[in-house]
Amino acid sequence: MQQVSSEELNLYYQKALNLGQTGETLAITGAAAGLIGILGAATQNSNCSSGGSSVMCVTAATLISGGVAATIIGFTMYMTGISRIDKIRKVQFSNSYKLELIPGRFYCSHPQNYPTGITLRITF
């Protein structure tokens, strides 16, 4: 991945971003479908628990199982997309420098204290 051009890297980045967004949408939709299935089964509790196979019971069971499956698949897609985005960002910014301003927390042995101040740290 470190040998690809910046245009290809941006294309991979967009694909990973879309994968993450699609996974997030699928996970939320699956969770909502599962919740609707659970609520539907709860309203038909007396019919479904007595062994009846009404259309509402079958629909509720399908929504619950489909919702759980969609949530798992969507969460997996989301995590894969996020992981790819992190890898691409590491490659994009690996050749750049890093500039940090941090509090001066170096121990000074002569006065035996921590002097106040700001430290400028540049990393290549």
Side-chain angles (χ1 to χ4, degrees):
M1 185 178 286
Q2 293 162 341
Q3 297 174 355
V4 297
S5 66
S6 63
E7 292 83 20
E8 288 178 307
L9 202 59
N10 286 334
L11 179 66
Y12 292 147
Y13 181 76
Q14 288 300 321
K15 285 183 178 182
L17 194 62
N18 288 339
L19 182 66
Q21 290 173 345
T22 303
E24 184 178 7
T25 303
L26 186 61
I28 292 171
T29 305
L35 182 63
I36 290 171
I38 290 171
L39 292 175
T43 60
Q44 296 294 319
N45 191 20
S46 60
N47 293 339
C48 294
S49 64
S50 64
S53 61
S54 69
V55 175
M56 186 66 172
C57 295
V58 172
T59 304
T62 304
L63 280 172
I64 292 170
S65 61
V68 168
T71 302
I72 292 171
I73 292 170
F75 184 71
T76 305
M77 288 172 61
Y78 175 75
M79 293 306 292
T80 303
I82 294 299
S83 173
R84 289 181 183 174
I85 288 172
D86 288 342
K87 288 178 185 176
I88 291 169
R89 285 183 179 166
K90 284 180 184 177
V91 171
Q92 280 179 337
F93 299 116
S94 66
N95 295 333
S96 63
Y97 65 91
K98 190 176 185 183
L99 182 66
E100 297 176 316
L101 287 173
I102 58 173
R105 297 296 298 169
F106 297 105
Y107 184 74
C108 188
S109 62
H110 183 65
Q112 297 182 349
N113 65 359
Y114 292 98
T116 58
I118 297 176
T119 302
L120 175 66
R121 183 184 299 168
I122 302 173
T123 309
F124 295 95

